[in-house]
Amino acid sequence: MKLYSLSVLYKGATKANLLKAAYDLSSFSFFQRSSVQEFMTFTSALIVERTSQGTRASVKEQEYLCHVYVRNDNLGAVVIADTEYPQRVCFTLLDKVLEEFSRQVDSIDWPSGNPETINYKSLDIHLSKYQNPREADAMTKVQAELDETKIILHNTMESLLERGEKLDDLVAKSEHLGNQSKAFYKTVSFDDSSYYYGLESC
């Protein structure tokens, strides 16, 4: 069981604004990590942009699940995990992070903030602590409420896209991806089950 990234974003009128992010890319080779991180940032932003206010959803992509919660105040969070990691614990984590973030960071800074200007230092701690879901779940005890919450499951990233949209086009236009990551994405099929984000996990 593994968590790969945890990020907080603001859902703007046309795009999501990344406010803070933490990553655990130790299972990827050193040379792949920058591109993997860029694709996780891109994917997290895309999912928040396509998720309605007040919605929890999980998006399946190969052997990975991207869990998202966008609150009614447009503050959202995404955690990317493997499929073995318990979904309920992921949403407990997202609730905890968003509640804590909204207490520590003034909402006036959400639309224009970025990872360098936002002063919130707990994401790395949460990502590390929640790598063991049993230990983390024992600490939180927020189970019954989330069990009853409706969570939307999307079977693929493509199911989030509007009619006529293509993931390839969004990758090409993305501000989150460097040219090297875009080039690498083109060389690998999303349908190849041994790859994610166009990169092979070690």
Side-chain angles (χ1 to χ4, degrees), residues 176-194:
H176 297 292
L177 299 173
N179 290 332
Q180 184 178 353
S181 296
K182 290 177 183 179
F184 204 101
Y185 168 84
K186 291 177 186 175
T187 67
V188 182
S189 170
F190 253 75
D191 298 328
D192 183 342
S193 62
S194 67

Side-chain angles (χ1 to χ4, degrees), residues 116-147:
E116 285 72 41
T117 63
I118 295 295
N119 185 23
Y120 177 69
K121 303 184 189 310
S122 301
L123 274 191
D124 287 298
I125 296 168
H126 289 313
L127 186 63
S128 174
K129 189 179 290 184
Y130 273 77
Q131 291 296 344
N132 182 344
R134 290 175 189 83
E135 184 180 323
D137 206 26
M139 291 186 302
T140 54
K141 305 286 188 189
V142 189
Q143 180 172 347
E145 184 181 337
L146 280 171
D147 282 344

Side-chain angles (χ1 to χ4, degrees), residues 23-90:
Y23 305 91
D24 183 342
L25 306 178
S26 56
S27 58
F28 296 90
S29 80
F30 175 79
F31 298 105
Q32 294 173 339
R33 289 176 191 171
S34 64
S35 290
V36 170
Q37 181 172 318
E38 286 184 359
F39 270 99
M40 288 186 176
T41 302
F42 164 76
T43 302
S44 298
L46 178 63
I47 291 171
V48 167
E49 288 164 8
R50 305 309 166 92
T51 300
S52 303
Q53 290 175 311
T55 300
R56 290 177 174 85
S58 296
V59 183
K60 189 174 187 305
E61 187 60 52
Q62 306 299 348
E63 67 270 29
Y64 299 84
L65 272 169
C66 309
H67 305 282
V68 59
Y69 175 32
V70 178
R71 303 195 321 185
N72 288 321
D73 59 5
N74 285 323
L75 191 65
V78 177
V79 62
I80 298 177
D82 62 22
T83 54
E84 294 178 3
Y85 197 97
Q87 182 188 51
R88 177 176 50 77
V89 182
C90 285

